[in-house]
Amino acid sequence: FEMGRPAALCKMGSKRVRPVRCRGGNMKYRALRIDAGNFAWGSENCAKKVRILDVVYNATSNELVRTKTLTKNSIVQIDAQPYKQWYLKKYGVDLGKK
């Protein structure tokens, strides 16, 4: 926290990541824009890398929702297709069909 760097305020969009030099010459990678993430379906013990479709809610500010800024507490809408395929393969049940 003593480095005093400004917040990245990661937005939705095509992947743009910048390296940041840290103490000891180590590198961290700061995401400026990102379009996918690793999300878990907790009750089924399944994690997949999926596309982020939209920022739905942010408790901090509505401006972060309007500008589609991704933060730690953001509620996002994701593409469910990888989870549907996994569920069909494991249980033989097609989700979303009536």
Side-chain angles (χ1 to χ4, degrees), residues 5 17-23 25-31:
R5 292 195 180 96
V17 179
R18 296 285 182 258
V20 177
R21 187 188 178 277
C22 301
R23 184 180 166 124
N26 296 315
M27 299 299 278
K28 284 185 179 179
Y29 296 94
R30 174 147 308 153

Side-chain angles (χ1 to χ4, degrees), residues 5-42:
R5 292 195 180 96
L9 294 178
C10 181
K11 307 273 188 198
M12 283 180 53
S14 59
K15 187 175 179 178
R16 184 183 294 171
V17 179
R18 296 285 182 258
V20 177
R21 187 188 178 277
C22 301
R23 184 180 166 124
N26 296 315
M27 299 299 278
K28 284 185 179 179
Y29 296 94
R30 174 147 308 153
L32 302 178
R33 284 189 195 163
I34 203 140
D35 58 353
N38 201 26
F39 292 89
W41 186 359

